[in-house]
Amino acid sequence: MQTIDNFDFKNKKVFVRVDFNVPLDENFNITDDTRIRAALPTLKKILKDGGSPIIGSHLGRPKGATDKYSLKHILPRVSELLGVEVEFANDCVGEDATAKAAALQPGQVLLLENLRFYAEEEGKPRGLAEDATEEEVAKAKKAVKESQKEFTKKLASYADTYVNDAFGTAHRAHASTALIADYFGADAKSFGYLMQNEINAVEKVLSDTQRPFTAIMGGSKVSSKIDIIKNLLDKVDNLILAGGMTYTFAKAYGGKIGNSIVENDKLALAQEIVNAAKEKGVNLVLATDAKIADSFSNDAKTGYAPVNNIADGWEGLDVGPDSEKAFAEVIKNSKTILWNGPVGVFEFQNFEHGTRVVADAIVEATKKGAFSLIGGGDSVAAINKFGLADEVSYVSTGGGALLEFIEGKVLPGIKAIRGY
Ligand code: AMP
């Protein structure tokens, strides 16, 4: 396998899959450009060598071509950060893209329109009627898989080499993240710097684990994280669970949670997790107290309550001081730390304190020699908000990809390059 450092991109056209899926506000201003910045070392290396990057990315989850998810909105920032006037092809597989890719000179950069404007990127059928029969679904799936081959081949045809620097989508076997690699020989494909750094960071956590190993899981999406939590139970010594999922656990044990966020269909699973942690000897640390609010707003009236005794009309939006103390204690004594998801609604200044305490404790542990890996869009936004990104060991750009990798799954985007 090639590494990007060994590559000489002189006179090469390079299809670079990046993850420029950045958050935009209602006026299409980028609110956090971490993901663009993260791909700069790879793009700059290609330019420095005298190559020409052809950048492919997705943005959001469009159902087809739509202005809202056009990558043209981020073009000025990409140009500014790269210091090169980046060209734009307004259709990733149209004539425009083919002509612009063909005309590209060393040192020039082309950004392709959102790859997910085509269903072929993900290889999943779109626009199926809700009452479609199984047969119709199967036929549509087959059709999109067929046209996906042409789509992938077209993307591959623009370039001599392929570089995957999109860790955020490495867990997806999409056209541009995995399938395209088949069109390039072993010496004509590699990870970009970002991807390589992400892999190194995760492998340090998983294979070179210094104990105690503590995972802190927060956020609101209980359903999407609960399975990952189960898997982490086999790997960690301490598991801190906080954020919105706190209340699913509290309710599962008969707690009164007022209006707090909850997933009623996951109550049994919450109990299973508590039991599994006991069985496996994992120290499961759940929030015991909450900072409560009388509405989901920064200006809400606030108070504190045990997580299992919240009055109706009130909801837990952050952890309380007892939980903060307990979390910080565990974190500060850890040697390996994985953090995904804020422990409260950190976007509201009045409910950011718990998340800040977690971040500070991670920084302190890192100073004492722990390896700390922070991943997931919201934890990254939080650590950036607090200005602490440079004081932890590694800030991942991956959410789902990071967690699946931590679980020990083989990620298609990684396998496509290195074979495993
Ligand atoms: P996720 O995408 O699942 O990581 O969720 C991140 C979101 O969870 C953030 O936007 C937080 O504001 C939100 N969150 C954290 N704690 C709570 C809570 N107690 N109630 C509601 N939302 C929360």
Side-chain angles (χ1 to χ4, degrees):
M1 193 193 92
Q2 276 283 12
T3 65
I4 183 161
D5 270 329
N6 291 339
F7 239 104
D8 183 1
F9 293 103
K10 193 170 167 43
N11 294 328
K12 298 272 191 234
K13 286 180 185 158
V14 191
F15 187 98
V16 192
R17 177 53 156 104
V18 297
D19 179 3
F20 283 175
N21 185 26
V22 290
L24 300 171
D25 67 15
E26 62 280 10
N27 298 314
F28 301 111
N29 296 309
I30 299 168
T31 53
D32 181 356
D33 64 4
T34 306
R35 286 178 171 171
I36 301 179
R37 289 178 187 277
L40 292 178
T42 294
L43 295 170
K44 286 191 170 165
K45 149 81 174 157
I46 296 167
L47 287 171
K48 193 167 142 258
D49 280 1
S52 26
I54 299 165
I55 306 174
S57 179
H58 72 284
L59 176 66
R61 295 178 176 209
K63 298 273 176 288
T66 155
D67 185 71
K68 183 174 173 198
Y69 293 115
S70 173
L71 280 170
K72 73 178 183 209
H73 301 304
I74 71 159
L75 184 66
R77 182 70 68 90
V78 178
S79 295
E80 184 192 325
L81 290 173
L82 266 181
V84 174
E85 200 60 42
V86 175
E87 291 193 56
F88 186 66
N90 58 17
D91 179 347
C92 66
V93 288
E95 277 172 25
D96 184 42
T98 311
K100 283 183 175 152
L104 213 58
Q105 297 300 312
Q108 293 182 331
V109 186
L110 175 63
L111 174 66
L112 301 174
E113 181 55 288
N114 195 340
L115 299 164
R116 286 197 193 163
F117 281 0
Y118 285 86
E120 284 78 5
E121 166 63 359
E122 295 175 272
K124 279 194 237 142
R126 284 186 184 152
L128 270 171
E130 262 180 36
D131 58 353
T133 62
E134 256 178 51
E135 203 181 318
E136 282 165 341
V137 173
K139 207 171 145 198
K141 275 190 186 162
K142 198 166 164 232
V144 76
K145 286 284 174 208
E146 271 309 307
S147 52
Q148 188 180 43
K149 285 182 197 146
E150 281 312 304
F151 177 83
T152 311
K153 204 166 147 189
K154 182 79 193 170
L155 294 178
S157 73
Y158 302 149
D160 311 296
T161 42
Y162 170 64
V163 171
N164 190 351
D165 217 12
F167 183 68
T169 47
H171 57 321
R172 306 285 181 223
H174 293 168
S176 69
T177 62
L179 309 184
I180 193 172
D182 285 347
Y183 293 89
F184 298 89
D187 286 341
K189 57 189 166 194
S190 83
F191 298 125
Y193 288 115
L194 170 65
M195 193 82 163
Q196 192 60 63
N197 289 340
E198 298 271 0
I199 294 169
N200 292 348
V202 173
E203 290 185 342
K204 189 158 170 57
V205 167
L206 291 188
S207 326
D208 185 20
T209 318
Q210 306 296 308
R211 296 191 177 272
F213 176 11
T214 298
I216 307 128
M217 307 289 295
S220 64
K221 288 184 238 153
V222 190
S223 47
S224 66
K225 283 183 193 171
I226 231 153
D227 294 335
I228 290 157
I229 291 165
K230 267 179 145 177
N231 282 295
L232 275 174
L233 284 172
D234 285 326
K235 308 200 186 307
V236 298
D237 303 294
N238 305 299
L239 181 59
I240 297 176
L241 292 183
M245 66 185 98
T246 302
Y247 307 98
T248 300
F249 283 82
K251 187 163 178 185
Y253 288 93
K256 274 183 64 201
I257 59 163
N259 296 5
S260 305
I261 190 168
V262 66
E263 283 203 317
N264 285 314
D265 60 340
K266 296 286 182 254
L267 301 181
L269 199 50
Q271 292 190 343
E272 260 175 54
I273 285 169
V274 171
N275 293 335
K278 266 188 214 139
E279 252 168 52
K280 292 172 197 279
V282 171
N283 176 31
L284 180 64
V285 189
L286 289 159
T288 51
D289 58 343
K291 185 171 185 185
I292 54 172
D294 67 349
S295 70
F296 190 83
S297 148
N298 188 45
D299 306 322
K301 238 206 275 172
T302 62
Y304 293 93
V307 293
N308 56 5
N309 195 12
I310 298 174
D312 287 342
W314 292 81
E315 58 192 300
L317 294 188
D318 195 4
V319 292
D322 293 348
S323 311
E324 284 178 353
K325 222 171 127 199
F327 292 179
E329 175 89 19
V330 170
I331 294 167
K332 284 178 194 170
N333 289 312
S334 302
K335 289 272 182 300
T336 302
I337 300 163
L338 167 70
W339 180 28
N340 173 277
V343 303
V345 185
F346 78 100
E347 296 93 333
F348 296 153
Q349 210 189 338
N350 290 332
F351 302 97
E352 68 167 28
H353 197 264
T355 303
R356 190 180 276 271
V357 166
V358 164
D360 285 341
I362 295 175
V363 168
E364 200 178 315
T366 310
K367 282 202 181 109
K368 286 196 299 187
F371 185 80
S372 51
L373 171 53
I374 286 97
D378 281 311
S379 334
V380 173
I383 203 94
N384 284 335
K385 183 179 177 191
F386 304 145
L388 296 172
D390 291 338
E391 297 186 49
V392 296
S393 309
Y394 193 76
V395 178
S396 173
T397 57
L402 174 77
L403 294 170
E404 286 195 22
F405 200 21
I406 296 273
E407 275 175 38
K409 286 191 182 154
V410 173
L411 306 191
I414 294 178
K415 189 172 180 212
I417 301 278
R418 72 175 185 187
Y420 63 97

